[in-house]
Amino acid sequence: MHYVTSGQGPVVILIHGLFGDLDNLKALGKELEPNFTVVRVDVLNHGNSPKVSSMDYSSLAASMAELIEEVVPPGEHSAILIGHSMGGKIAMATALCNPEKVGKLIVADIAPVAYQSRHDKVFAALESMPLTEIKDRRQALAHMQTCGIDDGTAQFLLKSLTRTENGFTWKMNLVGLKQSYSDIISWPDFNKSYQGPCLFIRGGDSDYVTAEYRQAIIKQFPMVKAKTIEGTGHWLHAQKANIFNRIVNDFLHK
């Protein structure tokens, strides 16, 4: 996987969500740099990472375990994983499959459960973007709005739009993501639990982590602590960045 490294100290790996890239958690990374070596990754099929045909969580966990071995200095054996949404699932899968490689785990607004499809409109908007016809990002934004995508989501998605000699292209591998979407929203039965320190942070207005998922979380992550950031939805790390970053910092320094 493609990644960038900054800071110094114990290794923290930041893992973004679906349709994102390594810049999504950049603000958190800057907050952590004085005390941690921060590794921001492009998940497979995103950003500058390789294109793959399968994104099941066992495979993604194996890739993350390899990355941990690569970035953790000799003599150390584990990294701290922080993931948002799909990135949170990757972090959880890695902790369950390779607990000795994960010192602490922070999961932002996602649960270890299968979800119903909720990105059909987004895929339709991305796939229908006239990449060779649009002249600038203003026209790209107008297309997203025409497809019924709200401004905040559209601006987030357009971060993956990049200019080429023939117009624009998506940095993310849309074909691979659509092929893998059923795996991305699912959750395997690992039949394991992670006994290390774990923090779940949810948005107060989000429906991604609800009371019905409580037992699934506790069963797989029995040492879990939980925080809710009121007045935020699924993009809690961006909507109230200062509060989110403080909660993360407090947990890591305990």
Side-chain angles (χ1 to χ4, degrees), residues 2-254:
H2 174 250
Y3 63 89
V4 298
T5 303
S6 59
Q8 57 185 357
V11 175
V12 176
I13 300 177
L14 306 184
I15 316 170
H16 65 80
L18 181 61
F19 304 123
D21 64 20
L22 55 74
D23 282 341
N24 289 169
L25 294 167
K26 190 173 184 178
L28 174 61
K30 287 189 175 296
E31 187 81 15
L32 298 178
E33 283 175 6
N35 299 298
F36 297 93
T37 297
V38 177
V39 180
R40 293 184 288 116
V41 304
D42 281 331
V43 173
L44 296 174
N45 280 333
H46 295 77
N48 294 315
S49 279
K51 296 180 179 181
V52 296
S53 58
S54 175
M55 291 182 68
D56 64 274
Y57 285 107
S58 294
S59 298
L60 291 169
S63 296
M64 190 58 60
E66 292 177 5
L67 177 65
I68 292 171
E69 292 179 0
E70 181 177 339
V71 299
V72 169
E76 298 182 25
H77 306 287
S78 65
I80 298 162
L81 299 188
I82 304 176
H84 170 248
S85 197
M86 176 193 71
K89 280 192 165 184
I90 296 172
M92 289 187 286
T94 306
L96 291 170
C97 295
N98 305 274
E100 74 286 353
K101 297 184 185 298
V102 181
K104 287 185 176 182
L105 175 67
I106 299 179
V107 179
D109 211 57
I110 201 74
V113 299
Y115 288 85
Q116 296 295 315
S117 173
R118 59 170 75 200
H119 294 95
D120 292 349
K121 185 189 295 186
V122 171
F123 274 114
L126 295 174
E127 290 176 321
S128 63
M129 179 71 72
L131 294 170
T132 59
E133 299 173 17
I134 56 173
K135 303 300 182 185
D136 53 37
R137 290 180 177 274
R138 179 180 54 80
Q139 292 181 347
L141 177 60
H143 171 82
M144 300 297 281
Q145 293 168 333
T146 300
C147 292
I149 307 298
D150 67 86
D151 280 3
T153 302
Q155 295 287 2
F156 162 74
L157 294 167
L158 292 177
K159 289 179 180 179
S160 289
L161 190 67
T162 185
R163 190 181 290 275
T164 70
E165 293 181 359
N166 301 314
F168 287 86
T169 189
W170 295 111
K171 287 194 291 184
M172 61 183 121
N173 176 19
L174 267 182
V175 173
L177 290 178
K178 193 165 186 179
Q179 288 177 342
S180 303
Y181 185 66
S182 60
D183 285 330
I184 292 170
I185 61 175
S186 71
W187 184 249
D189 183 4
F190 288 107
N191 198 28
K192 299 174 182 178
S193 64
Y194 172 69
Q195 301 293 325
C198 177
L199 174 66
F200 277 61
I201 311 173
R202 64 177 291 272
D205 299 332
S206 172
D207 61 353
Y208 275 80
V209 183
T210 60
E212 66 181 296
Y213 301 144
R214 176 181 172 84
Q215 288 307 312
I217 294 171
I218 293 173
K219 179 182 178 182
Q220 295 168 82
F221 303 95
M223 302 300 290
V224 67
K225 297 182 182 298
K227 294 283 187 181
T228 297
I229 302 180
E230 299 296 347
T232 63
H234 190 54
W235 308 103
L236 66 175
H237 61 288
Q239 291 172 305
K240 292 194 176 180
N242 289 340
I243 297 174
F244 180 84
N245 294 349
R246 187 182 72 240
I247 291 172
V248 170
N249 245 324
D250 288 348
F251 180 74
L252 294 184
H253 283 94
K254 288 182 180 178

